[in-house]
Amino acid sequence: MLGLNRKDATLFLVVFALVLFAPFLLNPFPTESGLAQFNAGYPDLMQRFVIFGIFAIGFNILFGLTGYLSFGHAAFLGVGSYAGVWMMKLLTMNVIPAILISVVFAGLLSLIIGWISLRRSGIYFAILTLAFAQMCYALAYSVLTPVTGGETGLQLSLDDPRVIGASATPDGNIPVPHLFGLEMNDNTQLAMGEWVFTFSVGYYFAALLMLVAFYLAIRLFRSPFGMMLRAVKSNQQRMNYTGLNSKPYTLAAFVISGMYAGLAGGLMVAMDPLAGAERMIWTASGEVVLMTILGGAGTLIGPVLGAGLIKYLENILSKINKGVLEQWFAFMPDGLSDIMVTIIYPFVGKGWHLTLGIMFMLVVIFLPGGLVEGGQRIARLFRRKKKTAGSGDDPEHHPKPQPHVAE
């Protein structure tokens, strides 16, 4: 199927099904239920799931295959965002040119940074990428203010000299990003009993691009190029001793990874035409590292799972304040409810990073392979139990008694 082996095709179909039915899967609780705040099926969050999934997939191509740890990938995300907004300001509100130019600019920047940074490896490479990202952030925040908007960010305005399309709608508003007339913020709601499901044009467009990015990542992982990248990770020095120059392979992986980040930045602009320097700060680069490690570095679906987990915690746990906790434990005696609120409150709301940090620590200690390794362990456990149960009923394990033969 599509040039994939059976295992990869099955994995791709699983991801396709999860993406297609996400509005249902992410809304398990009725709208009026007290647990509805744990629902994540609204368009903005679902778009973040797939956009940061693309970002993490691209980072995994570099880190998961070659072992080169970059702390500067947010620079490509930010450059892609800025390029996309400028395309909308100067040319058209159609999202296709904006996304294409985002990928191109991110690819060019990653080529420059990668060519310099890949002269070193290990911690020195990581520090170099971090330094370049911080330089880009500083330039965007102050020096290049006429281009980036500085601390206020780059956004659309009514006097944009747009070549294709009007600068303002008939009612005097800024046009909305669209795909050949289909607006990204269009959505349809489906009510089924106590549940309300929202289907967004922007989400499914971003999800389609994520599926394409995921498919390309599978093909890359299984290609001879992917095998060369694994050889770099396994023992780059031994590879160089064989006469093979590993630098073109690592540079190509770096550029491809940067282009994935640019695609994510362009999609952010397609959903919300605004770009700010905060997307290039070092913590944004660290976030994609966490996503990849939590999900499972070097695996195909791991980065997508890690991105979804972190964005879920960021948008759901951060909304749980002290008032919500007091409602949860209102059925308890006053003293006991206060104790429960005091214990849990540091881990939610503004303290959700503490929960993320503890989770990351536990995964690194007990599940070095991330969520994917956890799923594999559970699957092996169930297979072992099933095999044990099956062997107990297998007549071959209970041979018939042989007749006694007198000597």
Side-chain angles (χ1 to χ4, degrees), residues 7-30:
K7 182 179 179 181
D8 291 337
T10 302
L11 179 62
F12 181 78
L13 290 176
V14 168
V15 174
F16 176 81
L18 292 175
V19 166
L20 181 64
F21 297 106
F24 298 100
L25 299 174
L26 296 175
N27 272 332
F29 305 110

Side-chain angles (χ1 to χ4, degrees), residues 330-354:
F331 66 94
M332 293 183 175
D334 292 341
L336 185 57
S337 65
D338 292 340
I339 292 175
M340 294 300 296
V341 170
T342 303
I343 293 174
I344 297 177
Y345 182 65
F347 299 92
V348 296
K350 294 182 179 180
W352 75 271
H353 286 96
L354 180 58

Side-chain angles (χ1 to χ4, degrees), residues 85-94 155-169 173-176 178 273:
V85 174
W86 272 111
M87 180 59 71
M88 289 184 176
K89 290 171 74 68
L90 299 177
L91 183 63
T92 175
M93 291 300 294
N94 193 315
Q155 50 191 322
L156 304 179
S157 62
L158 291 174
D159 57 351
D160 288 332
R162 196 167 293 116
V163 175
I164 303 175
S167 297
T169 61
N173 294 323
I174 297 175
V176 177
H178 63 85

Side-chain angles (χ1 to χ4, degrees), residues 156-397:
L156 304 179
S157 62
L158 291 174
D159 57 351
D160 288 332
R162 196 167 293 116
V163 175
I164 303 175
S167 297
T169 61
D171 54 359
N173 294 323
I174 297 175
V176 177
H178 63 85
L179 178 65
F180 302 108
L182 196 61
E183 296 182 354
M184 290 292 103
N185 59 3
D186 282 347
N187 60 73
T188 301
Q189 290 188 336
L190 173 64
M192 299 178 64
E194 298 180 352
W195 284 264
V196 177
F197 305 104
T198 304
F199 304 90
S200 169
V201 171
Y203 163 71
Y204 279 107
F205 174 69
L208 176 62
L209 291 184
M210 193 210 77
L211 289 173
V212 173
F214 185 68
Y215 170 77
L216 294 176
I218 295 176
R219 296 302 301 267
L220 190 147
F221 266 63
R222 306 306 184 210
S223 67
F225 175 70
M227 293 182 64
M228 294 298 292
L229 296 182
R230 287 191 179 89
V232 170
K233 182 178 181 179
S234 177
N235 195 322
Q236 185 175 2
Q237 188 174 15
R238 183 177 297 175
M239 180 180 174
N240 292 333
Y241 284 159
T242 64
L244 290 172
N245 185 6
S246 60
K247 187 169 292 185
Y249 295 98
T250 54
L251 180 59
F254 193 92
V255 173
I256 293 171
S257 183
M259 293 173 72
Y260 268 74
L263 174 59
L267 278 173
M268 285 183 175
V269 170
M271 303 306 146
D272 183 15
L274 172 68
E278 71 279 353
R279 290 182 183 174
M280 309 174 79
I281 199 167
W282 69 271
T283 53
S285 297
E287 189 176 52
V288 73
V289 176
L290 291 179
M291 290 175 182
T292 306
I293 295 176
L294 279 177
T299 63
L300 287 167
I301 197 174
V304 180
L305 298 177
L309 176 63
I310 289 182
K311 287 302 162 183
Y312 181 86
L313 293 175
E314 178 184 342
N315 288 269
I316 302 299
L317 283 187
S318 61
K319 293 180 180 179
I320 302 176
N321 53 32
K322 186 170 290 188
V324 173
L325 293 177
E326 290 173 350
Q327 292 179 3
W328 286 1
F329 300 107
F331 66 94
M332 293 183 175
D334 292 341
L336 185 57
S337 65
D338 292 340
I339 292 175
M340 294 300 296
V341 170
T342 303
I343 293 174
I344 297 177
Y345 182 65
F347 299 92
V348 296
K350 294 182 179 180
W352 75 271
H353 286 96
L354 180 58
T355 302
L356 177 62
I358 294 174
M359 184 179 300
F360 181 73
M361 179 184 66
L362 294 175
V363 166
V364 170
I365 294 174
F366 299 105
L367 290 175
L371 298 177
V372 171
E373 181 182 345
Q376 291 173 344
R377 289 186 183 183
I378 294 174
R380 285 197 297 267
L381 180 62
F382 277 99
R383 283 198 298 267
R384 190 180 301 117
K385 288 184 177 180
K386 185 176 180 180
K387 185 181 295 185
T388 303
S391 63
D393 298 331
D394 192 347
E396 293 182 0
H397 288 76

Side-chain angles (χ1 to χ4, degrees), residues 114-129:
W115 185 78
I116 299 173
S117 301
L118 287 168
R119 295 173 180 272
R120 294 292 179 264
S121 60
I123 188 63
Y124 304 104
F125 169 81
I127 294 300
L128 277 173
T129 56

